[in-house]
Amino acid sequence: MPLTTSSMVLLLLFFLLSIHTALSSAADCDPADRAALLRVKAELGDPVRLAAWQPSSSSTNCCSWDPAVICDIATGRVTALALCSLPDVSAPVPPSLGDLAALEILQIVSVPGLSGPVPATFANLTRLRDLDINGTSISGHVPASLLAGAANLSTLVIANSKLAGPIPASMSSLLPNLRYLDLSGNLLTGAIPPGLLHGSFRFLLLSNNRLSGEIPSDYGDADVDTVDLSRNNLTGDPSAFLFGITKATAKIDLSWNRLEFDMTEVRFPHHLRFLDLSHNRIRGGVAKSLRDVNLDHFDVSDNELCGEIPAGRFMVAHGAECYACNKCLCGTPLPPCNNTGL
């Protein structure tokens, strides 16, 4: 499974924290945290990759256990934990993870047999800043227990799993530091609540769900870097607030929805590098403002666009497949326009 942006950032954090921890060989892990980790191992069914997690006297320093267990040098408390690539696990989410009270970073990636809801004990993780869960069978609603205790959370990823139900509107007030939200690849329904993201350099990734309704206008704010709402059932016209030449947005993916607007006069952000509006109900002509946008990815196929495709500058990079299955587009890279005024 390809790593998400958040996964790569968290792996870098683990690398830097590992260097920091290695500077002090005298640090020993907190006995309560060591006991909690051993309970986590047992609750996961003693997976092979956690074989080094042993209570024996020769390996009691859990700060040196692999996969990554990272401790605070001064206190020996476990502050970061990565549980990745555990194909032999078939178990619920370990409740004992909630006993690691000093945990700031938790990563659970590529553990497809991990199932059930996020346990209520996660409410004890009040210091948690970054949670990345990706590629599991975790189910239930977006965890209320997590929202109740994790006010410091800035990154929340529960992706490619089996979450269902609506996204709680209360997330906006309960997670005041959240700037990166990835709930893509689940079974979520209902509307997208406004105000889920805070601060600068924000990311909203909710693709591959069953979300409906209109996109809230605050996700067009200047501090939003990425909006990926593809493969949902979203409706309405987001063009008035989501686009604009002065915006710093780098990626917008709204493909495979039911959005309706006239693209003709839309002014796309000059900083934009990824734009996918395919498989919607977009009408009018291809916007001339796209000539000034250097896109690495561009797709407006399967819409209701008509007229001559603007030529020049960055438009030369887009092939015919970018415009396929529209109403009556013509001009390079499609066949030339005829003499009927198109």
Side-chain angles (χ1 to χ4, degrees):
M1 177 181 297
L3 288 176
T4 63
T5 301
S6 63
S7 297
M8 290 187 286
V9 170
L10 286 172
L11 286 173
L12 177 60
L13 286 172
F14 272 109
F15 174 73
L16 295 174
L17 285 169
S18 297
I19 294 175
H20 177 66
T21 304
L23 294 176
S24 176
S25 60
D28 194 4
C29 71
D30 180 84
D33 285 354
R34 179 171 56 246
L37 287 172
L38 291 172
R39 290 195 299 274
V40 168
K41 178 189 175 186
E43 289 163 359
L44 289 173
D46 294 317
V48 173
R49 287 206 67 199
L50 304 186
W53 296 19
Q54 296 292 336
S56 63
S57 59
S58 61
S59 59
T60 55
N61 185 4
C62 66
C63 299
S64 63
W65 287 354
D66 289 324
V69 177
I70 297 170
C71 302
D72 180 89
I73 292 175
T75 65
R77 299 302 306 270
V78 174
T79 56
L81 175 63
L83 298 171
C84 303
S85 300
L86 302 176
D88 55 337
V89 166
S90 180
V93 182
S96 294
L97 285 170
D99 296 331
L100 297 168
L103 205 61
E104 298 177 11
I105 300 173
L106 175 59
Q107 187 178 45
I108 305 174
V109 175
S110 297
V111 190
L114 194 67
S115 61
V118 173
T121 55
F122 271 46
N124 300 328
L125 302 178
T126 57
R127 300 186 187 181
L128 198 64
R129 293 183 290 107
D130 298 285
L131 175 63
D132 184 0
I133 300 176
N134 200 328
T136 72
S137 296
I138 289 176
S139 58
H141 289 194
V142 176
S145 57
L146 180 65
L147 303 181
N152 293 318
L153 206 63
S154 62
T155 298
L156 173 57
V157 179
I158 307 180
N160 300 305
S161 296
K162 297 180 180 179
L163 291 181
I167 300 173
S170 59
M171 285 180 63
S172 177
S173 58
L174 294 175
L175 301 179
N177 296 298
L178 189 67
R179 65 169 193 82
Y180 191 111
L181 177 62
D182 183 356
L183 300 176
S184 58
N186 283 289
L187 304 170
L188 298 172
T189 56
I192 301 172
L196 296 176
L197 303 179
H198 307 274
S200 60
F201 204 51
R202 306 177 207 168
F203 294 76
L204 182 67
L205 310 173
L206 300 175
S207 63
N208 287 278
N209 278 288
R210 301 171 182 177
L211 298 167
S212 58
E214 299 189 0
I215 302 170
S217 61
D218 62 304
Y219 299 118
D221 290 352
D223 289 324
V224 177
D225 177 270
T226 297
V227 175
D228 187 349
L229 306 176
S230 58
R231 296 182 180 272
N232 281 287
N233 295 307
L234 300 173
T235 56
D237 176 4
S239 63
F241 59 85
L242 206 55
F243 307 120
I245 60 173
T246 61
K247 293 183 181 295
T249 314
K251 177 178 179 178
I252 297 176
D253 190 345
L254 304 177
S255 60
W256 293 91
N257 280 287
R258 293 186 289 142
L259 301 171
E260 300 184 47
F261 60 89
D262 188 326
M263 187 200 284
T264 310
E265 301 299 328
V266 172
R267 307 187 73 183
F268 288 93
H270 286 173
H271 293 281
L272 199 62
R273 293 296 174 263
F274 186 110
L275 177 64
D276 197 332
L277 301 175
S278 64
H279 297 272
N280 279 287
R281 300 173 181 175
I282 301 170
R283 62 189 183 278
V286 175
K288 293 180 180 179
S289 65
L290 287 167
R291 291 184 295 197
D292 299 317
V293 184
N294 187 10
L295 292 165
D296 299 321
H297 176 92
F298 173 66
D299 193 347
V300 292
S301 63
D302 289 271
N303 279 290
E304 300 173 8
L305 296 169
C306 194
E308 186 170 9
I309 297 170
R313 291 182 59 76
F314 296 118
M315 301 302 288
V316 299
H318 310 318
E321 69 280 0
C322 302
Y323 305 100
C325 300
N326 272 284
K327 186 176 180 181
C328 51
L329 286 177
C330 59
T332 307
L334 299 180
C337 297
N338 58 28
N339 294 323
T340 63
L342 292 180

